[in-house]
Amino acid sequence: MAAIGLIVHLSTPAAACGISSEELKISLIGDWQVSNGFGTLSFNGRTMPLPSGNSTSAKIVPTENGLAVTGGAAPGTYDMDFIEDARFVLDAPSQTILDQGEAWFGEHPEIITDEELAIVAGCGTGQMLPQLQVSGTFEDAEGQVDFEVYLFVLDQATMYGIMSGNLLSMGGTAKRVTRWTR
């Protein structure tokens, strides 16, 4: 599960390293601000940069089975699951894509991989940041979109990750860095 990377603006170390999903569930419930950053669009064998997207708000709510998210870029309510048995990887886009993004949109994000994020967040040896996954389908102006969001939980107020959408009508995939804060 590779993605494009993420923008990091950390001011305090993460408190979520090594904490179980059960311990985190209650602390994540509530309102979140979602900032969708720099990304890529791939279709017809070509990948190009996307500028930062619109910011929005989302809410994490408790359910019988755990957590769900409402709001955000995908209208509807979607299950939010902790990833316990596998790890996902955030890979930075190529330097060419970063350079094009800067030339086209005036953006040149600081990119950090998942391994670097764990170090910056202050995780000790053998500790990992908790990971969440949300997926679903919604109707957009361009047609049906199958999406996935993968988030690293840094602490009770900060999550970073990637949002990926398959734009079924045009056969393309858009990926964006996403930052959730409160």
Side-chain angles (χ1 to χ4, degrees):
M1 291 180 262
I4 64 164
L6 64 125
I7 301 171
V8 173
H9 300 282
L10 296 175
S11 58
T12 59
C17 299
I19 295 176
S20 74
S21 57
E22 289 304 316
E23 292 176 88
L24 273 177
K25 279 182 185 174
I26 293 173
S27 68
L28 297 177
I29 295 169
D31 296 325
W32 291 83
Q33 292 302 308
V34 179
S35 300
N36 295 316
F38 183 87
T40 60
L41 174 62
S42 299
F43 67 99
N44 293 332
R46 183 166 179 208
T47 298
M48 65 182 74
L50 287 175
S52 292
N54 296 330
S55 294
T56 186
S57 60
K59 186 172 192 144
I60 296 177
V61 296
T63 67
E64 289 180 15
N65 301 323
L67 298 173
V69 64
T70 64
T77 301
Y78 304 94
D79 288 337
M80 177 176 264
D81 300 309
F82 279 91
I83 299 174
E84 302 285 352
D85 55 350
R87 304 308 288 173
F88 60 87
V89 176
L90 298 176
D91 294 323
S94 72
Q95 188 61 46
T96 301
I97 296 294
L98 293 174
D99 291 344
Q100 283 178 346
E102 184 172 25
W104 294 356
F105 313 119
E107 291 184 64
H108 193 82
E110 298 172 32
I111 300 293
I112 188 168
T113 66
D114 53 302
E115 291 174 348
E116 294 166 330
L117 180 59
I119 292 168
V120 170
C123 294
T125 303
Q127 291 183 324
M128 295 186 289
L129 292 169
Q131 297 178 334
L132 293 168
Q133 189 251 345
V134 179
S135 63
T137 301
F138 68 94
E139 285 296 322
D140 190 60
E142 288 82 34
Q144 188 175 358
V145 178
D146 289 343
F147 75 94
E148 292 184 296
V149 179
Y150 295 98
L151 295 167
F152 287 98
V153 181
L154 275 69
D155 58 39
Q156 298 167 347
T158 311
M159 296 187 285
Y160 287 92
I162 195 72
M163 174 177 60
S164 175
N166 291 319
L167 313 168
L168 301 178
S169 63
M170 65 183 262
T173 300
K175 295 180 180 179
R176 286 192 188 279
V177 172
T178 188
R179 178 177 168 216
W180 295 39
T181 57
R182 51 176 164 177

